[in-house]
Amino acid sequence: IMLRVVVAVRCAYAAVAFAGARVVVPLRRQSLRWSTGLLDSSRTRAMSSALAVSGGEASASFEAIVEARYSCKAFAEDREVPDATLAAIFALTQRCPTSFNTQPWKAVVVRSPDAKAKLAEALFEGNRPKIRSAPVSVVFAADLRPELGLSPDAPDFVKEAVPKFVAQCTTPEAWAFKQTGIAAGFFVLACQAHGVATCAMEGFLSIDAVRDAVGLDADRYSVPMVVSLGYEAAPPTERSVRMPVAAQFCLDDASTPYPLPHEENSL
């Protein structure tokens, strides 16, 4: 229920922006000003209060979305994803966290037959049928020059800190991939919340090939992944295996598995 409320609120402005954006999100990044986040504080508090009231219902809804998500290998070619649904998914994706709210990513939404054909040729053979069958594929592009996206009124400490944070990573690409990966994670869950299946892929012939296919500037952007989305051609017959929780979660230091009252392997 609460997810429907959130989607309705976000969709109200996103549907208008989507009509003019056509293929690239974030929808508002070029006009983003540092101070605008304060204007949403009352709405944010209202949303938080509503979620707190709903309690377990919201938790159960999110758990159902996460558990339902899987990597769809074949999409129904006769079903399009409505524009309003895409707009709502885009708006939810934009709520993902990024370092100092720099939002250093762009998403190229591929829908036309010609664009899909070009993108498919940039991927490994095994991934091409997914691009061809999916009504939509999204190329997530990581911004290697995040300082260029900062607004003029960004605080000085942010302008000084961002290059330092980038330098902590092995390369600017590593930092940008980290930020963009969070956005892609939000994206696949937003899709699932709307009943849209996804498949995230990194099997490219090369990053350059993907960049060229969608017209990305090689000096500014790199590509961590492509996500195809649509409606499944058939439901999955099995679930992928996950490692035990204690194999990935540790307590206080990396050598101590997190103690759990019971261990269940997630399938």
Side-chain angles (χ1 to χ4, degrees):
I1 292 174
M2 287 313 307
L3 282 168
R4 288 196 292 270
V5 172
V6 174
V7 168
V9 172
R10 298 296 299 172
C11 188
Y13 85 81
V16 176
F18 178 72
R22 192 169 64 86
V23 294
V24 177
V25 293
L27 307 178
R28 298 186 299 168
R29 186 172 179 210
Q30 295 304 318
S31 61
L32 177 70
R33 296 189 63 81
W34 192 264
S35 60
T36 55
L38 299 176
L39 302 178
D40 291 332
S41 60
S42 60
R43 186 178 68 180
T44 300
R45 286 195 298 270
M47 289 292 185
S48 297
S49 297
L51 285 171
V53 171
S54 66
E57 185 176 347
S59 176
S61 296
F62 182 71
E63 183 175 347
I65 290 167
V66 172
E67 290 291 342
R69 189 219 60 82
Y70 74 102
S71 295
C72 181
K73 301 301 191 292
F75 298 91
E77 298 185 43
D78 60 344
R79 291 191 64 187
E80 294 290 334
V81 181
D83 285 349
T85 299
L86 287 174
I89 290 169
F90 296 164
L92 289 171
T93 301
Q94 287 185 286
R95 298 310 304 170
C96 73
T98 55
S99 181
F100 287 106
N101 196 33
T102 48
Q103 304 171 57
W105 57 273
K106 180 175 288 190
V108 182
V109 183
V110 176
R111 302 182 75 180
S112 73
D114 288 346
K116 287 167 61 176
K118 288 175 62 177
L119 179 59
E121 290 303 310
L123 272 65
F124 286 155
E125 182 65 38
N127 284 334
R128 292 174 185 173
K130 302 164 195 170
I131 299 292
R132 292 168 180 150
S133 67
V136 183
S137 289
V138 176
V139 178
F140 278 89
D143 192 346
L144 308 178
R145 300 287 306 277
E147 70 279 3
L148 299 180
L150 292 177
S151 61
D153 67 336
D156 288 340
F157 79 88
V158 172
K159 297 176 182 177
E160 295 170 2
V162 168
K164 294 178 181 178
F165 282 19
V166 173
Q168 289 177 357
C169 295
T170 53
T171 63
E173 183 182 66
W175 180 88
F177 275 21
K178 177 171 62 174
Q179 309 298 321
T180 308
I182 299 173
F186 267 56
F187 180 79
V188 297
L189 291 179
C191 286
Q192 190 63 52
H194 284 272
V196 177
T198 56
C199 185
M201 297 170 280
E202 60 175 356
F204 316 146
L205 294 183
S206 69
I207 289 177
D208 281 337
V210 177
R211 274 193 294 236
D212 290 344
V214 296
L216 286 167
D217 181 355
D219 293 328
R220 178 78 184 269
Y221 295 100
S222 190
V223 181
M225 73 186 73
V226 175
V227 181
S228 288
L229 59 141
Y231 299 99
E232 60 189 13
T237 57
E238 58 184 18
R239 299 187 69 192
S240 56
V241 175
R242 294 294 184 267
M243 290 189 286
V245 172
Q248 294 186 289
F249 285 83
C250 304
L251 179 62
D252 295 333
D253 66 75
S255 63
T256 306
Y258 194 93
L260 296 171
H262 58 83
E263 178 64 58
E264 293 182 1
N265 191 22
S266 177
L267 300 179

